[in-house]
Amino acid sequence: MKFFLYVPGMAFDGNFFKKPGFSLGGSETMGYYVAKGLVAKGHQVFVFCNLPDSPAPREVKGVKYISIGKTSQQTPFGDNWERFAQSMPFDVLLGQRAPGLMAKPYNSKMNYFWTHDLALKRFQGHINAQLWNTNKILAVSEFHRKQICETYGVAEEFSGVLPNGIDLNLWDLKKANSAEDKKAGKIMFYSH
């Protein structure tokens, strides 16, 4: 299957872990991990995001990273994104965070709006305007899913959960349990 992921926000590509001291937001990190997981299952994956350094497309470990492009009143989600998503046939769109993203017709078979933020009444019009073109709204936790349904008036069966998480391979867990680390304080906190 061919997946398009729309991951606006902080600039990144599949090389960000190689850069010392580089940090990334949770939404972008999860976009990276979902893309990586889909490629591992044999899918073709395109991630539309803000690319670091230059807007030139690149491929990293089987994932194709493409700049969303320039935004304007006519192309509020990026000119590259809209050109690709409206003309190239693909199977699944997993779009993050941008209320109103699904209000445009895309050349996709299924559309999932993956929101990482608490639902706010001020976005209800944008969310409702895109429901005609959205198969499901995805939240990052069960609490978040219920909050979205309540705030936007979305039926529970029209929502789901695609949680954030952590990659335990990034930490030396044996060292994290040493007496020195316990004295130094917590190295990580995650709540779900």
Side-chain angles (χ1 to χ4, degrees):
M1 291 179 66
K2 187 184 291 185
F3 286 80
F4 278 15
L5 277 66
Y6 181 81
V7 186
M10 296 176 72
F12 80 102
D13 62 22
N15 292 314
F16 73 95
F17 280 123
K18 296 177 183 175
K19 298 177 183 178
F22 183 79
S23 63
L24 193 60
S27 301
E28 295 85 2
T29 301
M30 288 314 300
Y32 164 80
Y33 278 110
V34 167
K36 181 179 169 184
L38 289 168
V39 165
K41 291 182 182 256
H43 299 291
Q44 190 177 13
V45 181
F46 297 79
V47 175
F48 291 84
C49 58
N50 292 305
L51 291 174
D53 308 323
S54 83
R58 59 201 73 158
E59 186 171 333
V60 181
K61 296 181 181 176
V63 178
K64 294 163 188 72
Y65 292 89
I66 301 171
S67 171
I68 62 173
K70 294 181 180 168
T71 60
S72 68
Q73 192 168 1
Q74 291 76 29
T75 58
F77 305 108
D79 57 356
N80 277 347
W81 160 253
E82 294 194 21
R83 184 174 54 254
F84 274 89
Q86 290 175 351
S87 64
M88 181 185 277
F90 61 104
D91 297 298
V92 179
L93 162 56
L94 180 58
Q96 284 189 1
R97 301 188 94 164
L101 175 68
M102 304 297 181
K104 294 191 171 213
Y106 299 120
N107 203 354
S108 55
K109 295 176 184 171
M110 299 188 75
N111 298 320
Y112 295 91
F113 182 64
W114 189 16
T115 180
H116 291 246
D117 305 300
L118 286 176
L120 300 174
K121 281 283 190 192
R122 69 177 177 230
F123 294 126
Q124 186 169 12
H126 293 292
I127 298 300
N128 290 339
Q130 71 182 14
L131 293 180
W132 68 273
N133 196 30
T134 306
N135 294 86
K136 263 195 185 191
I137 295 177
L138 302 175
V140 297
S141 70
E142 186 58 29
F143 165 83
H144 187 216
R145 186 188 70 76
K146 287 179 181 177
Q147 193 265 341
I148 288 168
C149 291
E150 183 178 308
T151 303
Y152 295 144
V154 173
E156 289 201 15
E157 59 271 8
F158 191 65
S159 63
V161 175
L162 182 55
N164 286 341
I166 57 172
D167 183 351
L168 293 177
N169 294 319
L170 297 175
W171 283 272
D172 181 354
L173 296 178
K174 290 179 185 170
K175 181 182 174 194
N177 290 322
S178 72
E180 281 182 18
D181 278 355
K182 287 180 183 177
K183 287 179 187 176
K186 305 291 183 228
I187 63 164
M188 171 181 63
F189 176 80
Y190 176 76
S191 176
H192 183 245

